């Protein structure tokens, strides 16, 4: 069939992880469960860090921003996927696809920046503990987060704007569960060299830059920990960054897995399945990694649950003891 250039397209087709109808109910239940766990876990961390005065420190300020970014990252793709499975309609509008490209890039890269910021925070806490409160002041913390948001927003705006110049052929099927920029470029009929250059430049600068910062921070952290004489001091210093190191390892190992799977296999569905690890599984596991290994956060969550239970019990008790409304006979007696 001859392909014709058609710039006035109205929709794309998201093929998802699998086209087998027998798998659709299982995939719907699985992704709905993971999405709800992601929302609940990250939302609890945000509420705990905001309401508990013990967690009003730079580390938990960055963690709450990471949790918010994870909620938005999964919300950029999973709700649309669930709707498509439920309605058995895999179409997404052209405008919706471009919006999905923007937000998917925005919050994916923002995760990368926030992990680098948190690595710098751990570097200052371990390598310069006496000057930690002076260095990591509110002004600097606000600038680091604001700079991350502005940089990632501008990058996402540039790349999604570059996608608007693409014209597409009649084959508008995207072998993914989300409108990914790379997949749109592969479908395009016109010259994609400018898009490729922008993507590669952004990957090196905005992907490699934060990764280099993380590696540098941890090289200094390892050197400082090795200089500590007591084994108890080494364990205490390492425990302060163990959760962050686990999240960083999970995030970049899954990204590496997606890259290797896309370069080794030509099966696009395999790449989509591999991308689930960093776009869905990692945001879901982050709250568990940070809370299970963190006594302060676990204590704050327990206090939060206690307040919720007391509030709920107080509401029920107040409802039970409130005076009943007068009956019709009472009104006549009065």
């Amino acid at each position: 069939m001859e392909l014709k250039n058609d710039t006035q397209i109205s929709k794309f087709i998201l093929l998802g992880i699998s086209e087998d109808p027998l798998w659709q109910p299982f995939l719907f239940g699985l992704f709905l469960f993971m999405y709800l766990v992601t929302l609940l876990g990250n939302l609890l961390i945000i509420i705990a860090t905001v309401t508990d005065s013990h967690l009003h420190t730079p580390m938990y300020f960055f963690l709450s921003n990471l949790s918010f970014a994870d909620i938005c990252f999964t919300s950029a793709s999973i709700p649309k996927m669930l709707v498509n499975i439920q309605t058995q309609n895999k179409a997404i509008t052209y405008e919706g696809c471009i919006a999905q490209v923007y937000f998917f890039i925005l919050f994916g890269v923002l995760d990368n920046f926030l992990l680098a910021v948190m690595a710098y925070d751990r570097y200052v806490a371990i390598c310069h503990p006496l000057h930690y409160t002076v260095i990591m002041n509110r002004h600097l913390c606000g600038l680091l987060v604001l700079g991350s948001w502005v940089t990632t927003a501008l990058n996402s705006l540039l790349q999604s704007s570059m996608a608007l110049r693409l014209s597409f052929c009649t084959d508008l099927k995207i072998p993914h569960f989300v409108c990914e920029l790379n997949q749109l470029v592969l479908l395009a009929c016109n010259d994609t060299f400018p898009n490729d250059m922008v993507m590669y430049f952004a990957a090196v600068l905005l992907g490699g830059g934060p990764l280099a910062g993380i590696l540098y921070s941890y090289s200094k952290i390892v050197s400082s920990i090795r200089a500590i004489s007591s084994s108890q001091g080494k364990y205490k210093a390492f425990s302060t960054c163990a959760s962050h190191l686990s999240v960083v390892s999970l995030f970049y190992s899954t990204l590496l897995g997606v890259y290797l799977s896309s370069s080794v296999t030509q099966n696009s569905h395999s790449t989509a399945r591999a991308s689930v690890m960093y776009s869905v599984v990692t945001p879901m596991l982050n709250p568990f990694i940070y809370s299970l290994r963190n006594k302060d956060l676990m204590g704050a969550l327990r206090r939060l649950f206690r307040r919720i239970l007391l509030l709920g019990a107080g509401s029920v008790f107040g409802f039970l003891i409130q005076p009943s409304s007068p009956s019709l006979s009472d009104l006549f007696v009065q």
Side-chain angles (χ1 to χ4, degrees):
M1 182 177 64
E2 184 181 358
L3 296 178
K4 296 181 180 179
N5 189 21
D6 183 13
T7 57
Q8 302 300 320
I9 63 169
S10 60
K11 63 182 179 180
F12 293 96
I13 304 298
L14 294 174
L15 298 181
I17 296 176
S18 174
E19 297 183 70
D20 189 348
L22 297 177
W23 279 95
Q24 302 310 307
F26 171 76
L27 291 175
F28 180 84
L30 177 63
F31 279 88
L32 178 61
F33 171 76
M34 291 194 293
Y35 182 60
L36 292 177
V37 171
T38 302
L39 288 181
L40 180 61
N42 286 287
L43 190 60
L44 283 175
I45 286 185
I46 294 174
I47 295 174
T49 54
V50 170
T51 58
D52 198 302
S53 59
H54 297 88
L55 302 183
H56 292 174
T57 62
M59 182 177 72
Y60 295 108
F61 171 67
F62 298 139
L63 178 58
S64 62
N65 278 271
L66 180 66
S67 294
F68 178 75
D70 282 341
I71 290 175
C72 297
F73 189 36
T74 54
S75 298
S77 58
I78 301 304
K80 178 58 179 174
M81 177 189 180
L82 294 175
V83 170
N84 287 356
I85 294 176
Q86 184 67 21
T87 60
Q88 298 181 359
N89 181 9
K90 299 182 178 182
I92 183 172
T93 63
Y94 177 79
E95 295 79 6
C97 187
I98 297 299
Q100 208 172 53
V101 167
Y102 176 82
F103 289 110
F104 198 72
I105 294 175
L106 170 63
F107 294 110
V109 178
L110 182 61
D111 265 8
N112 194 28
F113 269 72
L114 290 175
L115 289 175
V117 169
M118 295 171 76
Y120 175 72
D121 173 73
R122 293 299 85 204
Y123 157 73
V124 176
I126 295 175
C127 300
H128 305 283
L130 299 179
H131 301 92
Y132 177 75
T133 54
V134 177
I135 298 175
M136 300 302 296
N137 54 69
R138 289 188 177 184
H139 181 68
L140 178 62
C141 292
L143 285 179
L144 289 173
V145 172
L146 180 62
S148 299
W149 274 94
V150 171
T151 303
T152 54
L154 291 176
N155 166 66
S156 184
L157 180 62
L158 173 63
Q159 299 215 45
S160 56
S161 299
M162 292 287 291
L164 294 174
R165 62 172 294 276
L166 298 174
S167 59
F168 300 92
C169 305
T170 55
D171 184 14
L172 301 176
K173 296 180 179 179
I174 300 176
H176 213 291
F177 62 89
V178 62
C179 278
E180 194 179 46
L181 181 59
N182 185 52
Q183 297 294 335
L184 289 183
V185 172
L186 292 176
L187 290 177
C189 292
N190 60 333
D191 181 24
T192 61
F193 179 77
N195 298 79
D196 292 332
M197 288 297 99
V198 171
M199 284 194 299
Y200 293 145
F201 181 77
V204 172
L205 185 63
L206 304 182
L211 178 59
I214 292 172
L215 294 176
Y216 176 80
S217 297
Y218 273 102
S219 67
K220 293 295 184 180
I221 289 173
V222 170
S223 299
S224 297
I225 292 177
R226 290 181 61 185
I228 300 175
S229 56
S230 65
S231 57
Q232 184 178 1
K234 289 182 179 180
Y235 174 78
K236 185 177 180 181
F238 178 76
S239 63
T240 61
C241 59
S243 298
H244 177 260
L245 185 59
S246 301
V247 171
V248 167
S249 302
L250 180 63
F251 182 79
Y252 284 103
S253 62
T254 52
L255 278 179
L256 180 62
V258 172
Y259 174 77
L260 292 177
S261 67
S262 61
S263 46
V264 171
T265 180
Q266 299 298 320
N267 188 346
S268 300
H269 283 298
S270 298
T271 304
R273 295 186 193 107
S275 66
V276 171
M277 290 301 297
Y278 79 87
S279 62
V280 182
V281 176
T282 299
M284 180 185 68
L285 294 180
N286 283 352
F288 296 98
I289 295 174
Y290 273 105
S291 59
L292 293 177
R293 299 183 59 92
N294 191 308
K295 294 181 180 179
D296 293 334
L297 188 55
M298 284 296 291
L301 289 173
R302 278 193 290 268
R303 288 189 290 271
L304 176 63
F305 286 134
R306 194 178 300 119
R307 287 198 297 270
I308 294 174
L309 290 174
L310 290 175
L311 182 62
S315 300
V316 173
F317 184 70
F319 175 77
L320 293 176
I321 66 172
Q322 67 180 356
S324 58
S325 57
S327 63
L328 189 60
S329 59
D330 294 334
L331 292 175
F332 280 116
V333 170
Q334 293 176 0

